[in-house]
Amino acid sequence: MSYNPASLKAEEFISDEEIKAALEYAEMNKNNTELIDEILEKARPVKTETGYRCQGLTHREASVLLACEIPEKIQKMYEIAEEIKLAFYGNRIVIFAPLYLSNYCVNGCLYCPYHLKNKHIARKKLTQEEVKAEVIALQDLGHKRLAIESGEDPVNNPIEYILDCINTIYSVHHKNGDIRRVNVNIAATTVDNYRKLKEAGIGTYILFQETYHKDSYETLHPTGPKHDYAYHTEAMDRAMEGGIDDVGLGVLFGLELYKYEFAGLIMHAEHLEAVHGVGPHTISVPRVKKADDIDPGAFDNGIDDDTFIKIAACIRLAVPYTGMIISTRETEEVRSKMLKVGVSQVSGGSRTSVGGYAGYTPEERPHDTEQFDVSDQRSLDEVVAWLMEKGHIPSFCTACYREGRTGDRFMQLCKNGQIQNCCHPNALMTLCEYLEDYASDYTKEIGNKMIDEELEKVPNEKAREIARENIKAIRNSDRRDFRF
Ligand code: SAM
């Protein structure tokens, strides 16, 4: 089928033929240092009057970089990836947690323990009372942003159930707590259902492609509605049609050849840009993990940490305005390296079981309904302190979406350099809330020092003054939720 990024047909915008041609081109040019230097130069952020501008890379160009094995060129990729991250996202890292609602599932995904044939995993679906308890527990940790997760089951988890849960989550206000943005990671659905999710006030709609390779996709999803490759791959277009303009892509690395997946992922981003005028809001890079009846070794395409980090750097170069997410599937060590090459969001203190937060201490970890093993088992407070020790500002900000700065309006903010006057103080104010309401003494001490230093870096004098006053109010009263 002929390749057409603007087509609405999965097999035309993710063309197997074009991916193979791109990989051949990449292989042919992986030692072509002249071309590689040109591509690196193209990826570099350029300073403008108002901020920075980046062109990004095509899937072919980015594939050449990914194929290149010359150490000094790889080093250059890492340096430029960090430059891009700092130009558009500064030193802020957004924090979120997953909330598992239900592990009932009718699909047969071979890598996921929630698959229908798994008869020994405990099945659980939260009641609204239990959702409330989970949200209180999450608020008590300090979270403001959640990603809700659920298996696909039209009887047990219909869209009405998901909508009820979203309403419950937004309605809970415990002490100074508040969940201000609910991102949703549920199976591909209809335009009507996406519209309902939009109306319920969701942030990003996240759906991992798992694999862009159609034949492997069908083998890995032998049964259930998720078997339909086109329906799954075209989900983001339906989400956009339903009014959701922040969508999150992802590949589950380990299932197929990583170079193939990478080209597919960048082509998917190009497709969204071509059709909707806005690329993906985020890209996630999960790797297959051990789980109840899942052995990651059963999949042939596992990638080592160095390759994984190179993939992240190449994503950063190819789609400079897209946020990049790394979850607690990865260890502290890998997460540290990923932060250097452009990751902008991390989860912290995560539980991947249904009902994993309420009634448990930060050290306790229920495994019965868990989706996969979590490698980074630190508490949220430890993650917050760690980020600051590494010079990143942990941000609990949710302002853009609440101020209507989604889709291309968010990208505009990114492009016109107002981020430093807007996102920077927002990050500091929400960090201040965290420190006042939830942090340990140590975290509070280093955090307050960071806030005072970073406040001085807000370029606009008026914005700086307002932020300073707001931080004073947060420190001295129960006033919360200031934002630009
Ligand atoms: N059921 C929805 C779907 O099909 O898209 C929601 C997603 S599921 C709760 C979240 C994601 O977890 C999946 O899209 C998959 O990529 C990932 N996942 C599943 N099994 C995994 C495993 N063993 N290790 C790591 N990630 C896994």
Side-chain angles (χ1 to χ4, degrees):
M1 250 181 250
S2 60
Y3 173 48
N4 176 8
S7 164
L8 291 173
K9 284 199 184 120
E11 284 181 72
E12 289 180 0
F13 65 81
I14 306 291
S15 147
D16 176 64
E17 226 171 79
E18 171 54 24
I19 295 183
K20 286 179 178 149
L23 298 191
E24 211 173 289
Y25 173 76
E27 197 53 33
M28 242 164 49
N29 285 292
K30 68 178 187 184
N31 292 313
N32 180 347
T33 50
E34 206 175 304
L35 177 66
I36 290 164
D37 286 342
E38 247 173 58
I39 299 173
L40 287 171
E41 216 34 57
K42 182 182 172 194
R44 205 180 274 287
V46 178
K47 190 128 184 53
T48 64
E49 258 173 47
T50 50
Y52 288 92
R53 188 176 48 79
C54 249
Q55 301 183 57
L57 300 176
T58 65
H59 61 274
R60 284 201 178 207
E61 292 164 338
S63 293
V64 171
L65 296 188
L66 189 63
C68 167
E69 284 164 10
I70 306 167
E72 61 269 29
K73 301 297 175 201
I74 298 176
Q75 193 47 44
K76 265 265 133 35
M77 290 175 213
Y78 292 173
E79 285 165 23
I80 299 174
E82 192 174 15
E83 260 179 59
I84 295 174
K85 157 74 173 63
L86 290 174
F88 299 115
Y89 285 89
N91 55 346
R92 296 173 299 282
I93 298 291
V94 166
I95 296 192
F96 74 98
L99 170 57
Y100 280 73
L101 302 177
S102 167
N103 68 350
Y104 284 95
C105 193
V106 296
N107 284 314
C109 315
L110 298 188
Y111 48 82
C112 179
Y114 293 169
H115 66 89
L116 185 65
K117 283 196 184 141
N118 188 348
K119 298 295 178 206
H120 57 85
I121 193 167
R123 299 286 171 174
K124 190 167 175 181
K125 167 187 167 182
L126 298 179
T127 63
Q128 295 311 309
E129 271 315 298
E130 287 168 329
V131 172
K132 211 168 155 183
E134 289 288 274
V135 172
I136 289 173
L138 282 154
Q139 290 183 359
D140 279 347
L141 293 173
H143 281 292
K144 297 283 185 278
R145 174 190 290 248
L146 301 182
I148 56 173
E149 311 275 341
S150 168
E152 177 169 16
D153 185 329
V155 174
N156 285 299
N157 325 322
I159 193 71
E160 291 72 25
Y161 170 70
I162 304 290
L163 296 170
D164 282 350
C165 292
I166 296 169
N167 282 333
T168 302
I169 295 168
Y170 280 134
S171 74
V172 177
H173 304 284
H174 181 64
K175 298 183 184 163
N176 283 339
D178 217 1
I179 297 300
R180 299 171 184 161
R181 177 174 178 134
V182 178
N183 296 334
V184 173
N185 184 5
I186 61 165
T189 185
T190 60
V191 174
D192 258 7
N193 286 347
Y194 286 124
R195 198 164 286 125
K196 289 176 187 164
L197 288 169
K198 172 73 184 173
E199 281 161 11
I202 71 159
T204 311
Y205 171 65
I206 301 164
L207 181 70
F208 300 160
Q209 177 64 30
E210 320 300 4
T211 175
Y212 284 98
H213 191 286
K214 184 169 183 270
D215 290 349
S216 299
Y217 181 94
E218 287 172 351
T219 308
L220 288 158
H221 305 95
T223 53
K226 197 166 170 176
H227 177 73
D228 187 337
Y229 175 81
Y231 190 73
H232 188 80
T233 311
E234 293 159 8
M236 294 316 190
D237 298 298
R238 292 194 301 281
M240 294 260 190
E241 199 185 327
I244 298 172
D245 49 10
D246 281 349
V247 298
L249 305 181
V251 152
L252 185 55
F253 284 100
L255 302 179
E256 243 303 334
L257 294 172
Y258 72 89
K259 289 178 183 168
Y260 191 100
E261 302 294 26
F262 175 80
L265 186 62
I266 304 304
M267 282 165 78
H268 202 168
E270 288 167 345
H271 161 71
L272 295 177
E273 186 82 53
V275 176
H276 308 282
V278 55
H281 188 66
T282 55
I283 287 182
S284 301
V285 286
R287 285 195 283 189
V288 184
K289 296 280 303 173
K290 192 181 165 322
D292 184 68
D293 67 345
I294 306 295
D295 169 15
F299 303 97
D300 297 335
N301 298 301
I303 45 173
D304 60 31
D305 293 350
D306 288 345
T307 307
F308 189 49
I309 288 150
K310 189 174 167 196
I311 292 171
C314 290
I315 293 175
R316 180 70 303 142
L317 268 57
V319 284
Y321 302 111
T322 296
M324 216 186 332
I325 302 179
I326 189 84
S327 76
T328 56
R329 287 178 184 84
E330 300 298 333
T331 60
E332 172 183 343
E333 192 193 343
V334 169
R335 280 167 35 111
S336 294
K337 290 183 182 160
M338 293 296 261
L339 287 171
K340 290 281 285 175
V341 296
V343 157
S344 55
Q345 286 194 31
V346 301
S347 45
S350 305
R351 299 295 157 85
T352 64
S353 44
V354 182
Y357 296 101
Y360 297 102
T361 65
E363 293 74 37
E364 282 174 325
R365 195 165 278 278
H367 293 291
D368 55 342
T369 59
E370 209 170 43
Q371 196 190 17
F372 49 80
D373 278 359
V374 164
S375 294
D376 186 342
Q377 302 201 351
R378 293 171 297 169
S379 67
L380 176 62
D381 193 68
E382 287 170 314
V383 170
V384 169
W386 162 74
L387 286 171
M388 294 192 291
E389 284 161 355
K390 294 195 166 297
H392 304 286
I393 304 172
S395 172
F396 293 87
C397 179
T398 53
C400 274
Y401 133 84
R402 294 162 78 219
E403 293 292 326
R405 292 188 296 258
T406 57
D408 55 350
R409 288 171 303 283
F410 168 75
M411 297 298 172
Q412 259 341 93
L413 183 81
C414 242
K415 290 173 188 172
N416 72 17
Q418 278 314 300
I419 273 205
Q420 201 63 8
N421 285 319
C422 191
C423 302
H424 197 68
N426 281 341
L428 298 176
M429 294 187 296
T430 55
L431 172 61
C432 188
E433 291 184 346
Y434 175 81
L435 299 178
E436 289 305 313
D437 295 336
Y438 310 103
S440 64
D441 289 347
Y442 169 71
T443 305
K444 190 168 177 177
E445 189 189 323
I446 59 170
N448 276 326
K449 193 162 167 279
M450 175 173 248
I451 289 173
D452 294 339
E453 283 167 11
E454 291 287 338
L455 255 179
E456 300 309 313
K457 298 182 189 161
V458 177
N460 181 291
E461 201 179 312
K462 194 156 175 233
R464 191 166 61 237
E465 200 38 51
I466 294 171
R468 194 175 285 130
E469 283 307 310
N470 292 347
I471 281 171
K472 218 184 274 172
I474 295 167
R475 283 175 176 159
N476 297 323
S477 73
D478 271 346
R479 289 179 60 203
R480 298 288 179 266
D481 201 13
F482 296 99
R483 61 180 183 265
F484 285 93

